[in-house]
Each structure stands twice: as structure tokens, then as C-alpha cells.
Amino acid sequence: MNSALTELLENQRSGLLWVRRDAVVRYANSEAILCTGLTAGSKIRDEGLARAIADTVDAGVAKAAASLGIASVPGAAMPELQCRVIPGLARDDAFVFVRNTNSTDPSDAYNNLMVVIRSDLHEPFRQIENALAISRDGDVHNVDVLVNQLHELTQVTGKLIDLAAVWNSGALLTDDRIELWPLLQSVWGELEPLAINLNVKVRFRAQDRANSLGTIYGSEKWLKRVFLECLESALRSNRSGSTLDIVYRQLGPRVLLVFRDCGAFAQVDDKAIELNNLAGSAQKGRAVPARLSAREYIGLKLCRHIVSLHGGELREEDDDGLRNFLIELPTGAPHRNEQNQLDIAQAQRYASDLAVLRSKSRTSKTSVR
Amino acid sequence: MRRILIIEDQPDIRKLIHMTLEFENYEIHEASDGIVGLSLVNAFKPDLVLLDVMMPGELDGLQVCREIKFNPATQHIKVILLTARSQEKDRAAGEQMRANEYLVKPFSPLQLIDTIEKLLA
């Protein structure tokens, strides 16, 4: 699509669907994807809205319709959507403006962003300015300090960009089938060097065999990012010589993953799988920073948002100075459920074939006689 | 009489499938999640299982299929996967779990019956 048109449609304050007369979506902006779960190629199965679209195209006049959106958390009611259908640019097209009647003021999100920038980016930039000033003397150590500060800043801004990218986008609305054990192994593969460097022992504990863990449906890319962020934060919080447990527990249709700091005297567990084999290097224990660094703060915000969009919850707990992360996610089916639409479509398919089914049944019974 | 087990979490879809199969001469059983479904499979060894892929719970349909097809005691049971997922990688995952057939929702009841008859012939 023409890039100017894309930008125009994307910058609408409300959700926008560009649809055909037969209620197939040609284009959905980010806000619409978030509200409705519909993307280009999807068919609107809400009969009332589909009828409003057809009427608008036929009569050339705008129509209003109500519809139901997708619940943001499991068990929550589906939000009511107010839709306004107007004739489109072409004869057989229409535009649908979608507004969630429960949506919060967009200025809140902007204010939150300004607070994050003010509180968490100010210090890194100040330190870089100081490091730049000092490094002008060409001292190698000062240059190293500058490089480290720049690295820290790129980490922080990188996460801020990721957060902005995912905040209101449909990027998370994929339904990859993700097996947990291979995902955890992949995450561990990336962070094992850090664990060795920090002298933290990591164990995996589950009720069942590791290769029979539940499956999650969602964005593999972003869920892997969540596990990477949480495990890295947990590793950095642990003292040298301590143990970090990754505990898996299936609770009915949901899984609970806990990244638990067990301290220096972890209980022995024969069933635990030790993910590394540290020789117990004699590193001095590091003090845990009292305040989250900007890199961690933005990382956690991102993780919480991603997990919540998957119908789950991410919590951080402080257990007498030991920092634990708890991630709860639904297993076995995606949280974003288009099941109502599928049920309707399946019932319609059944109804249309019913006469043939009956006829076939009568024929076979007659021939048996 | 051939025995068919429907493992599907959505009650309305389960009912529709049940109604479809009533036109034919089958003994029909139902389960609403993977764990119960698998225990029924082990208990009475149906001739065929109609298995939804995405079911909330400890086991999704592909995991149930793997348990059925990789167990010598139950590997002979025919498995038809029912799913809204139509991409090639999803079919490949079904093949990897040794499913016998793969139907994409919304499927035609006539196609379902034809597929069952073909497998049980």
C-alpha cells in the first residue's frame, strides 16, 4: 500500500478497518488489531457489523454498529466496541472506525513515557557526558569507562524502542506453538556465560519430565525475550556462589514459572536438573543494588506488557532480600480467542450441509431395508 | 459398532460433531480436555479419535496425539486433528506426531464423515 496512505491510516486516533462489502478486512491499523484481533485477510464474523458494512456500501450512507472486542486478560469481559461504518474510497469498500468504550485516555500513556525518559534516561546521559569530558585526555581506562556507559545507554534506549514498538501493535498477535522446554534451553544457552561469570548455579525443577512440559501459544520471539530479561535480571540479582532455581508448576490450564533466588544455602533436590556445573570459583559476593537500573526497569515493563497480552501475569517478589520473578501463562490454547467466530462459522457450515447429511442418511437406511 | 472419541474443549463444537456422527452408525464418546481424553483412550481404546489441537490445559492436541501414536498399545488408533491452524508448518507438526488426517476449521461435516469412513474402511 502507498506509504503515505499507510501513515495516514496508522495515525488515526481510533481503530480503523478498511473492509470489503463481504466483510473481509483489507487493512487494519494497530489500534484496530489490538481491539478486535482482526488483521488483513480476516473476515468479520459479527453479523450485525457485517450487515452494517453491506448496508453502507449499498446505500452509500454511514451506519453505526456495536460489536465485541477481545478480552485483554483471561476471564475478563469482552469490551464493547462502538463502530462507525462509512463508505470507502472504492465502490465496494467501507471504512470502520472502532472505538473501545472502556479505553483509557491516550495522554496517560504519553505522560508515563515522559516520566520514564525523565527518571531513567537522565542519569545515563549525564554519566556519558562526564565520561566524554574525561576521555578527551586519551587515558585508556577513561575510554573504557566511556564505552561501558555508552553500552549501558544503548541497552536502555534499545529496550525503550522495543517497548514503544510492542505497546500498541499487533506484533504479539501471532499464535506460534511454543514448547516450553526447548524455549528454556534456548534462553539458557544465551545466558549460561553470564551465569558462569557471575558464579551463580542454576537448576530446573518440575513435577514431570522436562520434555513433557505444557505448550504455550503466542509470539515465540517476544516470550523468549521475556524469559531472557527475567533470567538475566534474576542472575544479576543473585550473589556470587548462590543458586537460582527455575521452577515449573502446572496449575490446571495455566503454567507458573518461578525464577527463584535460593541464596547461598539452597535445599538439595535430586530431581532438579542442574543447568550448569560451576566449579565454585572464588569470587567475592557482589552487593545487590538498591534501585533497579534503567535497563532493568524498562525491561520489566516490557515483559509485563508482553505477558499480559498473552493472557498472563508477571510479578516480582522480594522474599527477605531474595528477588523472585513469577510468570503465569495459559497453556494449550492461545489467550486471544477467536473461538466465538469459529463456532459461528462451524455452525453455519453444519447448517448448510445438514440437508445433504439427512438425505444421505435416509438413502443409506432405505437401502439397508 | 465402531467407537469414536471426540476430544474438544468447546462444547458447541463437540455437540456439532456429535450431531454429525449421529447420522452414521458409531458409538460416540466425548472428552473436554487432553488429560481426560488420554485417560479414556487408554481405558477403552477407541477405533478413532477426533482431536482438537488447541485446548486450554496441561496437554494440547498435538501432545495428546504424540502420546497416542508413540505408545505401542494405542498407536493403531486413528487420529484426525481438528484445528483452525492451516499453515504448512502446522500440518507438518501433525505429521510429526503421526496424525492420520488433518481437518481445518470450519470443516464440512460431509468431509468429516468421508474422512472417518476412509480411515475406518
mmCIF file with all atom_site columns, all heavy atoms in Angstrom, chain A residues 151-165:
data_model
loop_
_atom_site.group_PDB
_atom_site.id
_atom_site.type_symbol
_atom_site.label_atom_id
_atom_site.label_alt_id
_atom_site.label_comp_id
_atom_site.label_asym_id
_atom_site.label_entity_id
_atom_site.label_seq_id
_atom_site.pdbx_PDB_ins_code
_atom_site.Cartn_x
_atom_site.Cartn_y
_atom_site.Cartn_z
_atom_site.occupancy
_atom_site.B_iso_or_equiv
_atom_site.pdbx_formal_charge
_atom_site.auth_seq_id
_atom_site.auth_comp_id
_atom_site.auth_asym_id
_atom_site.auth_atom_id
_atom_site.pdbx_PDB_model_num
ATOM 1   N N   . HIS A 1 151 ? 27.479 1.656  26.176 1.00 0.00 ? 151 HIS A N   1
ATOM 2   C CA  . HIS A 1 151 ? 26.831 0.353  26.054 1.00 0.00 ? 151 HIS A CA  1
ATOM 3   C C   . HIS A 1 151 ? 25.575 0.314  26.906 1.00 0.00 ? 151 HIS A C   1
ATOM 4   O O   . HIS A 1 151 ? 24.515 -0.149 26.481 1.00 0.00 ? 151 HIS A O   1
ATOM 5   C CB  . HIS A 1 151 ? 27.809 -0.740 26.469 1.00 0.00 ? 151 HIS A CB  1
ATOM 6   C CG  . HIS A 1 151 ? 27.212 -2.112 26.417 1.00 0.00 ? 151 HIS A CG  1
ATOM 7   N ND1 . HIS A 1 151 ? 26.875 -2.720 25.224 1.00 0.00 ? 151 HIS A ND1 1
ATOM 8   C CD2 . HIS A 1 151 ? 26.861 -2.968 27.389 1.00 0.00 ? 151 HIS A CD2 1
ATOM 9   C CE1 . HIS A 1 151 ? 26.353 -3.915 25.479 1.00 0.00 ? 151 HIS A CE1 1
ATOM 10  N NE2 . HIS A 1 151 ? 26.326 -4.099 26.775 1.00 0.00 ? 151 HIS A NE2 1
ATOM 11  N N   . GLU A 1 152 ? 25.686 0.816  28.131 1.00 0.00 ? 152 GLU A N   1
ATOM 12  C CA  . GLU A 1 152 ? 24.530 0.848  29.032 1.00 0.00 ? 152 GLU A CA  1
ATOM 13  C C   . GLU A 1 152 ? 23.407 1.674  28.428 1.00 0.00 ? 152 GLU A C   1
ATOM 14  O O   . GLU A 1 152 ? 22.237 1.294  28.448 1.00 0.00 ? 152 GLU A O   1
ATOM 15  C CB  . GLU A 1 152 ? 24.992 1.462  30.368 1.00 0.00 ? 152 GLU A CB  1
ATOM 16  C CG  . GLU A 1 152 ? 23.903 1.651  31.392 1.00 0.00 ? 152 GLU A CG  1
ATOM 17  C CD  . GLU A 1 152 ? 23.576 0.386  32.173 1.00 0.00 ? 152 GLU A CD  1
ATOM 18  O OE1 . GLU A 1 152 ? 24.394 -0.554 32.164 1.00 0.00 ? 152 GLU A OE1 1
ATOM 19  O OE2 . GLU A 1 152 ? 22.488 0.339  32.767 1.00 0.00 ? 152 GLU A OE2 1
ATOM 20  N N   . LEU A 1 153 ? 23.779 2.814  27.842 1.00 0.00 ? 153 LEU A N   1
ATOM 21  C CA  . LEU A 1 153 ? 22.753 3.687  27.264 1.00 0.00 ? 153 LEU A CA  1
ATOM 22  C C   . LEU A 1 153 ? 22.087 3.034  26.061 1.00 0.00 ? 153 LEU A C   1
ATOM 23  O O   . LEU A 1 153 ? 20.867 3.120  25.901 1.00 0.00 ? 153 LEU A O   1
ATOM 24  C CB  . LEU A 1 153 ? 23.383 5.026  26.852 1.00 0.00 ? 153 LEU A CB  1
ATOM 25  C CG  . LEU A 1 153 ? 22.380 6.031  26.255 1.00 0.00 ? 153 LEU A CG  1
ATOM 26  C CD1 . LEU A 1 153 ? 21.371 6.442  27.318 1.00 0.00 ? 153 LEU A CD1 1
ATOM 27  C CD2 . LEU A 1 153 ? 23.109 7.255  25.713 1.00 0.00 ? 153 LEU A CD2 1
ATOM 28  N N   . THR A 1 154 ? 22.851 2.362  25.232 1.00 0.00 ? 154 THR A N   1
ATOM 29  C CA  . THR A 1 154 ? 22.234 1.710  24.065 1.00 0.00 ? 154 THR A CA  1
ATOM 30  C C   . THR A 1 154 ? 21.301 0.595  24.522 1.00 0.00 ? 154 THR A C   1
ATOM 31  O O   . THR A 1 154 ? 20.268 0.356  23.911 1.00 0.00 ? 154 THR A O   1
ATOM 32  C CB  . THR A 1 154 ? 23.278 1.134  23.087 1.00 0.00 ? 154 THR A CB  1
ATOM 33  O OG1 . THR A 1 154 ? 24.144 0.261  23.804 1.00 0.00 ? 154 THR A OG1 1
ATOM 34  C CG2 . THR A 1 154 ? 24.078 2.223  22.424 1.00 0.00 ? 154 THR A CG2 1
ATOM 35  N N   . GLN A 1 155 ? 21.663 -0.086 25.606 1.00 0.00 ? 155 GLN A N   1
ATOM 36  C CA  . GLN A 1 155 ? 20.768 -1.121 26.136 1.00 0.00 ? 155 GLN A CA  1
ATOM 37  C C   . GLN A 1 155 ? 19.439 -0.492 26.564 1.00 0.00 ? 155 GLN A C   1
ATOM 38  O O   . GLN A 1 155 ? 18.365 -1.019 26.251 1.00 0.00 ? 155 GLN A O   1
ATOM 39  C CB  . GLN A 1 155 ? 21.399 -1.774 27.374 1.00 0.00 ? 155 GLN A CB  1
ATOM 40  C CG  . GLN A 1 155 ? 22.656 -2.573 27.100 1.00 0.00 ? 155 GLN A CG  1
ATOM 41  C CD  . GLN A 1 155 ? 22.334 -4.042 26.911 1.00 0.00 ? 155 GLN A CD  1
ATOM 42  O OE1 . GLN A 1 155 ? 21.653 -4.631 27.737 1.00 0.00 ? 155 GLN A OE1 1
ATOM 43  N NE2 . GLN A 1 155 ? 22.799 -4.622 25.847 1.00 0.00 ? 155 GLN A NE2 1
ATOM 44  N N   . VAL A 1 156 ? 19.529 0.608  27.267 1.00 0.00 ? 156 VAL A N   1
ATOM 45  C CA  . VAL A 1 156 ? 18.320 1.252  27.780 1.00 0.00 ? 156 VAL A CA  1
ATOM 46  C C   . VAL A 1 156 ? 17.461 1.774  26.642 1.00 0.00 ? 156 VAL A C   1
ATOM 47  O O   . VAL A 1 156 ? 16.251 1.524  26.586 1.00 0.00 ? 156 VAL A O   1
ATOM 48  C CB  . VAL A 1 156 ? 18.698 2.401  28.736 1.00 0.00 ? 156 VAL A CB  1
ATOM 49  C CG1 . VAL A 1 156 ? 17.475 3.245  29.071 1.00 0.00 ? 156 VAL A CG1 1
ATOM 50  C CG2 . VAL A 1 156 ? 19.315 1.850  30.008 1.00 0.00 ? 156 VAL A CG2 1
ATOM 51  N N   . THR A 1 157 ? 18.064 2.492  25.720 1.00 0.00 ? 157 THR A N   1
ATOM 52  C CA  . THR A 1 157 ? 17.270 3.054  24.626 1.00 0.00 ? 157 THR A CA  1
ATOM 53  C C   . THR A 1 157 ? 16.740 1.960  23.718 1.00 0.00 ? 157 THR A C   1
ATOM 54  O O   . THR A 1 157 ? 15.641 2.059  23.187 1.00 0.00 ? 157 THR A O   1
ATOM 55  C CB  . THR A 1 157 ? 18.079 4.069  23.791 1.00 0.00 ? 157 THR A CB  1
ATOM 56  O OG1 . THR A 1 157 ? 19.333 3.488  23.454 1.00 0.00 ? 157 THR A OG1 1
ATOM 57  C CG2 . THR A 1 157 ? 18.318 5.346  24.560 1.00 0.00 ? 157 THR A CG2 1
ATOM 58  N N   . GLY A 1 158 ? 17.520 0.883  23.563 1.00 0.00 ? 158 GLY A N   1
ATOM 59  C CA  . GLY A 1 158 ? 17.038 -0.249 22.775 1.00 0.00 ? 158 GLY A CA  1
ATOM 60  C C   . GLY A 1 158 ? 15.764 -0.831 23.363 1.00 0.00 ? 158 GLY A C   1
ATOM 61  O O   . GLY A 1 158 ? 14.803 -1.121 22.662 1.00 0.00 ? 158 GLY A O   1
ATOM 62  N N   . LYS A 1 159 ? 15.744 -0.957 24.677 1.00 0.00 ? 159 LYS A N   1
ATOM 63  C CA  . LYS A 1 159 ? 14.553 -1.501 25.331 1.00 0.00 ? 159 LYS A CA  1
ATOM 64  C C   . LYS A 1 159 ? 13.389 -0.524 25.239 1.00 0.00 ? 159 LYS A C   1
ATOM 65  O O   . LYS A 1 159 ? 12.239 -0.936 25.103 1.00 0.00 ? 159 LYS A O   1
ATOM 66  C CB  . LYS A 1 159 ? 14.858 -1.825 26.789 1.00 0.00 ? 159 LYS A CB  1
ATOM 67  C CG  . LYS A 1 159 ? 15.773 -3.029 26.902 1.00 0.00 ? 159 LYS A CG  1
ATOM 68  C CD  . LYS A 1 159 ? 15.967 -3.474 28.325 1.00 0.00 ? 159 LYS A CD  1
ATOM 69  C CE  . LYS A 1 159 ? 17.040 -4.535 28.355 1.00 0.00 ? 159 LYS A CE  1
ATOM 70  N NZ  . LYS A 1 159 ? 17.183 -5.183 29.628 1.00 0.00 ? 159 LYS A NZ  1
ATOM 71  N N   . LEU A 1 160 ? 13.684 0.743  25.314 1.00 0.00 ? 160 LEU A N   1
ATOM 72  C CA  . LEU A 1 160 ? 12.626 1.748  25.195 1.00 0.00 ? 160 LEU A CA  1
ATOM 73  C C   . LEU A 1 160 ? 11.991 1.676  23.818 1.00 0.00 ? 160 LEU A C   1
ATOM 74  O O   . LEU A 1 160 ? 10.771 1.752  23.664 1.00 0.00 ? 160 LEU A O   1
ATOM 75  C CB  . LEU A 1 160 ? 13.233 3.132  25.436 1.00 0.00 ? 160 LEU A CB  1
ATOM 76  C CG  . LEU A 1 160 ? 12.298 4.270  25.759 1.00 0.00 ? 160 LEU A CG  1
ATOM 77  C CD1 . LEU A 1 160 ? 11.474 3.940  26.970 1.00 0.00 ? 160 LEU A CD1 1
ATOM 78  C CD2 . LEU A 1 160 ? 13.109 5.526  26.011 1.00 0.00 ? 160 LEU A CD2 1
ATOM 79  N N   . ILE A 1 161 ? 12.810 1.506  22.812 1.00 0.00 ? 161 ILE A N   1
ATOM 80  C CA  . ILE A 1 161 ? 12.306 1.390  21.449 1.00 0.00 ? 161 ILE A CA  1
ATOM 81  C C   . ILE A 1 161 ? 11.455 0.122  21.307 1.00 0.00 ? 161 ILE A C   1
ATOM 82  O O   . ILE A 1 161 ? 10.385 0.130  20.699 1.00 0.00 ? 161 ILE A O   1
ATOM 83  C CB  . ILE A 1 161 ? 13.473 1.391  20.436 1.00 0.00 ? 161 ILE A CB  1
ATOM 84  C CG1 . ILE A 1 161 ? 14.114 2.776  20.384 1.00 0.00 ? 161 ILE A CG1 1
ATOM 85  C CG2 . ILE A 1 161 ? 12.996 0.977  19.036 1.00 0.00 ? 161 ILE A CG2 1
ATOM 86  C CD1 . ILE A 1 161 ? 15.458 2.814  19.683 1.00 0.00 ? 161 ILE A CD1 1
ATOM 87  N N   . ASP A 1 162 ? 11.943 -0.973 21.879 1.00 0.00 ? 162 ASP A N   1
ATOM 88  C CA  . ASP A 1 162 ? 11.160 -2.229 21.847 1.00 0.00 ? 162 ASP A CA  1
ATOM 89  C C   . ASP A 1 162 ? 9.823  -2.041 22.525 1.00 0.00 ? 162 ASP A C   1
ATOM 90  O O   . ASP A 1 162 ? 8.796  -2.533 22.063 1.00 0.00 ? 162 ASP A O   1
ATOM 91  C CB  . ASP A 1 162 ? 11.917 -3.354 22.555 1.00 0.00 ? 162 ASP A CB  1
ATOM 92  C CG  . ASP A 1 162 ? 13.081 -3.849 21.739 1.00 0.00 ? 162 ASP A CG  1
ATOM 93  O OD1 . ASP A 1 162 ? 13.121 -3.566 20.525 1.00 0.00 ? 162 ASP A OD1 1
ATOM 94  O OD2 . ASP A 1 162 ? 13.966 -4.508 22.311 1.00 0.00 ? 162 ASP A OD2 1
ATOM 95  N N   . LEU A 1 163 ? 9.830  -1.368 23.659 1.00 0.00 ? 163 LEU A N   1
ATOM 96  C CA  . LEU A 1 163 ? 8.598  -1.146 24.405 1.00 0.00 ? 163 LEU A CA  1
ATOM 97  C C   . LEU A 1 163 ? 7.614  -0.347 23.564 1.00 0.00 ? 163 LEU A C   1
ATOM 98  O O   . LEU A 1 163 ? 6.432  -0.683 23.474 1.00 0.00 ? 163 LEU A O   1
ATOM 99  C CB  . LEU A 1 163 ? 8.926  -0.400 25.700 1.00 0.00 ? 163 LEU A CB  1
ATOM 100 C CG  . LEU A 1 163 ? 7.801  -0.183 26.696 1.00 0.00 ? 163 LEU A CG  1
ATOM 101 C CD1 . LEU A 1 163 ? 7.200  -1.499 27.137 1.00 0.00 ? 163 LEU A CD1 1
ATOM 102 C CD2 . LEU A 1 163 ? 8.307  0.574  27.902 1.00 0.00 ? 163 LEU A CD2 1
ATOM 103 N N   . ALA A 1 164 ? 8.103  0.701  22.929 1.00 0.00 ? 164 ALA A N   1
ATOM 104 C CA  . ALA A 1 164 ? 7.231  1.511  22.088 1.00 0.00 ? 164 ALA A CA  1
ATOM 105 C C   . ALA A 1 164 ? 6.713  0.696  20.902 1.00 0.00 ? 164 ALA A C   1
ATOM 106 O O   . ALA A 1 164 ? 5.556  0.798  20.523 1.00 0.00 ? 164 ALA A O   1
ATOM 107 C CB  . ALA A 1 164 ? 7.995  2.736  21.586 1.00 0.00 ? 164 ALA A CB  1
ATOM 108 N N   . ALA A 1 165 ? 7.590  -0.140 20.366 1.00 0.00 ? 165 ALA A N   1
ATOM 109 C CA  . ALA A 1 165 ? 7.195  -0.917 19.180 1.00 0.00 ? 165 ALA A CA  1
ATOM 110 C C   . ALA A 1 165 ? 6.086  -1.896 19.505 1.00 0.00 ? 165 ALA A C   1
ATOM 111 O O   . ALA A 1 165 ? 5.191  -2.134 18.703 1.00 0.00 ? 165 ALA A O   1
ATOM 112 C CB  . ALA A 1 165 ? 8.405  -1.674 18.627 1.00 0.00 ? 165 ALA A CB  1
#
